[in-house]
Amino acid sequence: MASHSDTLVVFFGATAGANGGKLGSDEREIILLVWQIVDLHEKKVGKLHRCLVKPDTLELTDQCKEETGLTLDDIVKAEPLDKVLQQFQQSVSSEVKCLGRSSCTLCVNSPLIIRQALHPEASKKNLVLPECFFSFVDVRKEFHKCCPNAGPMEKLTLTSMLECVGLPAVSEQLMGVREVKSMVQLTLCILAEPYNHKFSCVETVKYKFDSGTCSKTEPVDSETVIRARGLPWQSSDQDIARFFKGLNIAKGGVALCLNAQGRRNGEALVRFINSEHRDLALERHKHHMGSRYIEVYKATGEEFLKIAGGTSNEVAQFLSKENQVIIRMRGLPFTATPQEVLSFLGPESPVTDGSEGLLFVKYPDGRPTGDAFVLFSCEEYAQNALKKHKQILGKRYIELFRSTAAEVQQVLNRYMSTPLISTLPPSPIVPVPVLATPPFLPAASSTRDCVRLRGLPYTAGIEDILEFMGEHTVDIKPHGVHMVLNQQGRPSGDAFIQMKSPDKAFMVAQKCHKKTMKDRYVEVFQCSTEEMSIVLMGGTLNRSGLSPPPCKLPCLSPPTAYAAFPTPPAILSEAALYQPPLLAAPRPPQTTTHSPAHTLAYYPPQPHLYMNMNMNYTAYYPSPPVSPSTVSYFAAPPGAVAAAVAAQPHHAAAAAAAATPVLPQPGALVRMQGLPYNTGVKDILSFFQGYQSENKADSSPDCWLNCSNCILNGYAPDEYSGVVQMNEQARSLIQPKEWLCL
């Protein structure tokens, strides 16, 4: 500590790029170090040292050349940073010893040289800094404490401080030497009468990041939190702390963010000890972690608590052991026991406290999720465990990767908040009216009076689109510009525009196709609102035409009884069959002119539909024999309702079916999995040879594969848009591993 130190080492540095208030903001390497020792007891000054440093990248900015007076020829002959630091350590140690003193503390004009330049560069080059670089005093803060009337500390300069105490400015021309001599004069002045100042405001740099837990009730200042984006998916909290080396992160202050599938999304929230360190962290925007640049933005304490905060006593007890390396295991068999996991890891990677160092992640009802977290006492044991990545336990391969305390909290919070009862729409006891399509979504139509803009700059707004459209702007319908967002709520680069007529849409597609907007060319395609819905659900639209999404059916076929419940035309759009999980919660019924005795609640698309353009269809179709259970579908009516419908006269049901679109019937549709990529419709029909219908127009309830309503729709030629008949005996011959009956 400076108050107990015998000497001060007045220290200054410069980089090959920006200096002064922007020192270290451009990741440039250090090219100059200057230092001089001051004896606090005898008020004596040691020898001044000025050393040039050879950077790995031999390049100097014009600003650097002008400020420092250095050229490439000067630094080419210099020693690298590690050699200069050794020279610094040796000279300081010998001088302190010659003075008969035992300790020293760095004194700088700004913390930037220590926090933003020296520590980050040493971390990237894997250099071990001398212990004296982990504590220092800022001469500006000491002077402000000594002379509070000198003005705001942020505006203090060496010249203004010397002027305040009545000392002349140093006339030295060499950069570095001038600054060090000024700091030495200022230090000797405030040490003497009448100030008799004691250097006591010592700042420290943490040696390492301390992991820990954070309670949801803990207050977190929003002025201390940042969001880092673009992180490598395998990065750990220690890697992030290393990226911010030189700045002090609060204990447990790194929270890696997970996506909807529980995997890291390349973002993290970082909490620093105060706003000063947070502001310095923002200066590292687009600095590099390996070959990737990292974006750094402001965040809030609420966002941090949402990710890192927890209330589970089990997690708190698990993470109470400090200085542990956490490994996450994913894909465990649901029947896996602690002993089986310990045996899988083996004796070369012993778990801390045996089974006590294992935390199995479970649902609220106690069912296992297949995830677990493991504690290891040292890095060596953790590395041995990571070597078992994708090795087999039981009949499953296990994924292992580094984790953090915040990730433990986040995973536990996510699973523990999963409802025990599905939030899908419940089966109504009495049929309820059909919900009308919201007015802000255009009704599905085949009229090609829309255009799709693809490849928009992510910063483009509606004003940019209107400027891009030029003279055709007058032909846009009111409220006809629809920006498409991705799953993260960010611009996807797509937009749909409703024109006043198909002719206007055709003209826009011809005139504006591949025009540039902000140095990017934008593709423009004519389309209909029906095609717009298909594209939003994962289909593609280009000059060659429209390709439907991976599947045009909901995951579960509606029950037979639905055929008897009429729906008004154009109300159930194709997009309604693709409701994302956000649309799964039922909406209050609205009255319509249709009889409530023959209607059922459907769930039309909502504004969130525009945020799900790139849906993950893999999650919607799990492998057999698992049936989808977490996606939106039309709930089956209770047995009493189904029985009542079945009891209706045949002509009444037929009349209702003729009046409205009839949805496929239960058990009548199957989905094929494991098909070769070059499989055609003829190959599939030949697979069912012997079961094909002679009457291709037949669409009886016994049909098994209906190409006009299944996956093949949009791909099959007209001559194959018939049906394949199969009775119960034939259906039983198909192996479950080949088919999944929905």
Side-chain angles (χ1 to χ4, degrees):
M1 305 295 289
S3 57
H4 299 96
S5 294
D6 303 307
T7 55
L8 285 180
V9 180
V10 179
F11 187 81
F12 177 86
T15 68
N19 289 291
K22 288 293 183 179
L23 181 70
S25 62
D26 54 1
E27 286 188 286
R28 295 291 185 139
E29 297 173 84
I30 295 173
I31 59 169
L32 174 66
L33 292 179
V34 185
W35 67 92
Q36 189 173 21
I37 288 183
V38 177
D39 188 332
L40 294 177
H41 294 289
E42 300 293 334
K43 311 296 189 297
K44 293 181 180 180
V45 178
K47 180 182 177 182
L48 188 143
H49 300 265
R50 182 177 184 268
C51 291
L52 299 181
V53 182
K54 181 181 179 181
D56 292 342
T57 303
L58 295 174
E59 181 181 357
L60 300 178
T61 64
D62 294 337
Q63 179 186 0
C64 172
K65 293 177 181 178
E66 181 180 350
E67 293 177 346
T68 62
L70 297 175
T71 63
L72 282 177
D73 294 336
D74 297 327
I75 63 173
V76 164
K77 304 173 184 178
E79 296 286 345
L81 181 61
D82 56 338
K83 300 293 185 183
V84 174
L85 290 177
Q86 290 180 9
Q87 181 180 344
F88 169 84
Q89 180 70 3
Q90 292 172 359
S91 67
V92 169
S93 299
S94 61
E95 286 192 55
V96 169
K97 187 175 181 180
C98 290
L99 291 172
R101 308 305 178 190
S102 59
S103 61
C104 64
T105 301
L106 289 181
C107 177
V108 295
N109 183 38
S110 167
L112 297 180
I113 181 59
I114 302 295
R115 298 194 183 278
Q116 296 287 74
L118 192 58
H119 276 278
E121 184 175 340
S123 178
K124 290 179 181 178
K125 296 181 177 180
N126 295 316
L127 303 180
V128 179
L129 291 174
E131 186 177 354
C132 62
F133 286 108
F134 289 86
S135 62
F136 62 91
V137 292
D138 187 341
V139 71
R140 294 180 306 161
K141 292 182 180 180
E142 298 291 343
F143 183 82
H144 188 266
K145 184 179 178 181
C146 180
C147 304
N149 297 326
M153 189 204 68
E154 296 78 11
K155 295 184 178 181
L156 291 177
T157 64
L158 289 174
T159 303
S160 66
M161 288 187 287
L162 288 172
E163 183 180 351
C164 183
V165 295
L167 294 176
V170 176
S171 59
E172 177 64 46
Q173 296 298 318
L174 284 177
M175 183 181 186
V177 175
R178 178 177 61 251
E179 284 76 10
V180 168
K181 287 185 175 181
S182 298
M183 283 191 282
V184 169
Q185 284 192 17
L186 196 61
T187 300
L188 293 175
C189 179
I190 62 177
L191 285 173
E193 296 286 347
Y195 303 104
N196 295 321
H197 181 68
K198 301 290 184 183
F199 286 81
S200 57
C201 299
V202 179
E203 300 185 40
T204 60
V205 178
K206 286 189 175 182
Y207 286 91
K208 64 177 182 178
F209 167 69
D210 297 323
S211 60
T213 59
C214 178
S215 172
K216 282 189 177 293
T217 60
E218 181 179 342
V220 176
D221 185 2
S222 294
E223 296 299 316
T224 64
V225 182
I226 61 95
R227 179 184 295 272
R229 181 179 296 164
L231 300 166
W233 68 267
Q234 72 273 24
S235 58
S236 66
D237 53 354
Q238 297 292 342
D239 297 323
I240 297 171
R242 186 176 182 181
F243 175 79
F244 290 108
K245 187 69 175 176
L247 307 179
N248 293 344
I249 299 174
K251 183 176 181 180
V254 176
L256 295 167
C257 301
L258 307 180
N259 60 17
Q261 288 74 41
R263 300 176 183 270
R264 297 173 186 173
N265 63 3
E267 295 187 4
L269 293 169
V270 185
R271 177 189 177 192
F272 295 91
I273 61 171
N274 56 40
S275 59
E276 180 184 352
H277 288 236
R278 194 283 302 266
D279 293 340
L280 293 178
L282 293 173
E283 293 293 330
R284 301 196 187 183
H285 180 60
K286 291 197 174 181
H287 283 203
H288 289 76
M289 180 184 290
S291 59
R292 298 176 65 94
Y293 72 83
I294 309 300
E295 301 174 31
V296 183
Y297 303 100
K298 290 182 180 180
T300 66
E302 182 181 354
E303 290 176 314
F304 181 82
L305 286 176
K306 185 177 179 181
I307 300 298
T311 57
S312 172
N313 292 330
E314 183 182 13
V315 175
Q317 183 178 358
F318 176 76
L319 297 174
S320 61
K321 306 176 183 66
E322 296 186 357
N323 301 322
Q324 299 290 311
V325 183
I326 306 174
I327 298 295
R328 181 180 178 185
M329 302 181 71
R330 188 166 58 195
L332 290 170
F334 293 151
T335 57
T337 64
Q339 190 56 45
E340 289 175 339
V341 174
L342 294 175
S343 300
F344 171 79
L345 295 171
E348 65 275 9
S349 50
V351 177
T352 302
D353 296 337
S355 59
E356 295 295 324
L358 290 174
L359 177 64
F360 288 92
V361 182
K362 299 180 180 180
Y363 290 106
D365 59 356
R367 292 180 294 117
T369 64
D371 279 34
F373 293 93
V374 191
L375 294 178
F376 296 97
S377 59
C378 66
E379 186 66 30
E380 180 184 357
Y381 295 159
Q383 288 289 352
N384 292 337
L386 291 172
K387 293 177 181 177
K388 297 185 178 293
H389 180 61
K390 291 198 173 182
Q391 291 191 14
I392 303 298
L393 173 59
K395 294 183 179 180
R396 299 177 64 91
Y397 74 85
I398 311 301
E399 296 176 287
L400 292 95
F401 44 90
R402 293 180 178 275
S403 186
T404 68
E407 186 174 20
V408 176
Q409 292 279 22
Q410 192 177 170
V411 172
L412 265 293
N413 290 344
R414 174 166 299 180
Y415 281 113
M416 292 306 292
S417 63
T418 303
L420 292 175
I421 301 175
S422 175
T423 58
L424 294 172
S427 302
I429 302 300
V430 179
V432 294
V434 179
L435 299 179
T437 303
F440 45 79
L441 281 178
S445 170
S446 59
T447 304
R448 296 171 63 82
D449 58 353
C450 299
V451 291
R452 177 192 180 190
L453 273 59
R454 186 173 68 182
L456 295 169
Y458 294 135
T459 57
I462 293 180
E463 296 81 1
D464 300 309
I465 292 177
L466 297 179
E467 182 180 352
F468 173 81
M469 298 279 290
E471 61 185 17
H472 303 286
T473 302
V474 296
D475 300 323
I476 300 176
K477 287 184 178 180
H479 309 290
V481 179
H482 306 282
M483 304 291 291
V484 181
L485 308 180
N486 60 20
Q487 289 178 317
Q488 286 73 42
R490 301 180 193 137
S492 66
D494 277 38
F496 285 94
I497 301 176
Q498 293 175 265
M499 308 301 293
K500 292 181 178 179
S501 68
D503 293 337
K504 303 295 185 183
F506 175 79
M507 290 299 297
V508 171
Q510 293 296 317
K511 295 290 184 66
C512 298
H513 185 59
K514 291 196 175 181
K515 278 180 59 178
T516 58
M517 180 190 298
K518 296 184 178 180
D519 299 328
R520 294 191 60 167
Y521 75 83
V522 179
E523 299 174 288
V524 183
F525 309 113
Q526 185 182 9
C527 67
S528 64
T529 53
E530 184 179 17
E531 292 170 332
M532 179 175 75
S533 298
I534 294 176
V535 171
L536 289 172
M537 290 301 103
T540 57
L541 174 67
N542 50 39
R543 291 269 165 175
S544 302
L546 177 71
S547 297
C551 182
K552 299 182 66 179
L553 288 175
C555 295
L556 299 180
S557 299
T560 308
Y562 279 122
F565 295 126
T567 60
I571 284 184
L572 180 64
S573 65
E574 184 174 9
L577 298 177
Y578 294 91
Q579 301 175 61
L582 291 174
L583 308 180
R587 297 175 62 185
Q590 300 175 359
T591 59
T592 66
T593 58
H594 300 280
S595 171
H598 298 290
T599 54
L600 193 66
Y602 290 109
Y603 297 79
Q606 298 182 7
H608 302 292
L609 175 66
Y610 290 97
M611 297 179 64
N612 288 270
M613 177 180 173
N614 300 316
M615 298 175 68
N616 180 5
Y617 286 89
T618 305
Y620 285 71
Y621 292 96
S623 301
V626 181
S627 291
S629 60
T630 59
V631 290
S632 179
Y633 67 100
F634 303 109
V641 177
V645 173
Q648 290 182 350
H650 177 73
H651 66 275
T660 59
V662 179
L663 293 174
Q665 303 186 8
L669 297 175
V670 295
R671 181 165 58 90
M672 302 176 69
Q673 289 188 325
L675 291 172
Y677 293 123
N678 58 354
T679 301
V681 178
K682 292 184 179 180
D683 300 318
I684 296 176
L685 295 180
S686 65
F687 179 81
F688 294 109
Q689 188 174 5
Y691 305 116
Q692 296 186 15
S693 170
E694 294 296 331
N695 181 11
K696 292 185 179 180
D698 185 8
S699 57
S700 65
D702 293 329
C703 71
W704 188 52
L705 183 67
N706 188 334
C707 295
S708 64
N709 288 315
C710 76
I711 303 171
L712 302 179
N713 187 20
Y715 296 91
D718 292 338
E719 61 265 31
Y720 294 112
S721 59
V723 296
V724 179
Q725 299 281 5
M726 176 168 284
N727 56 28
E728 292 296 332
Q729 179 182 5
R731 188 179 300 155
S732 65
L733 299 177
I734 303 299
Q735 298 298 320
K737 67 180 180 180
E738 296 172 318
W739 296 90
L740 173 62
C741 184
L742 301 180

